[in-house]
Amino acid sequence: MSSEELFLKKWRSLSQDKQEQVLVFIDFLCWQDVPNKSSLEKRLQEIRNYVINYGRLPDNNPEFSE
């Protein structure tokens, strides 16, 4: 089974809330790979949009913890 197939199998078994957490984590991983870390403004905008869309910060995400 390929990594993609394994991912999709596991993805489908998750609740919608957990799927949202996975997407936030993937965004975080992609953000880490950005060569220019000065994109803080862009990342803050993404966090703001998340809060607007979901009405809260992601649960159990150290990236957003105080």
Side-chain angles (χ1 to χ4, degrees), residues 10-52:
K10 290 182 179 189
W11 171 267
R12 291 181 183 123
S13 71
L14 295 173
S15 67
Q16 184 172 353
D17 184 55
K18 294 293 183 183
Q19 289 178 354
E20 289 173 15
Q21 290 180 23
V22 170
L23 291 174
V24 169
F25 181 67
I26 290 171
D27 285 343
F28 174 71
L29 292 177
C30 292
W31 176 75
Q32 282 183 321
D33 288 340
V34 173
N36 182 1
K37 298 285 179 153
S38 67
S39 62
L40 178 60
E41 182 179 352
K42 180 181 177 220
R43 184 64 183 135
L44 289 173
Q45 184 65 40
E46 291 171 359
I47 294 168
R48 178 182 177 276
N49 290 340
Y50 186 97
V51 171
I52 289 170

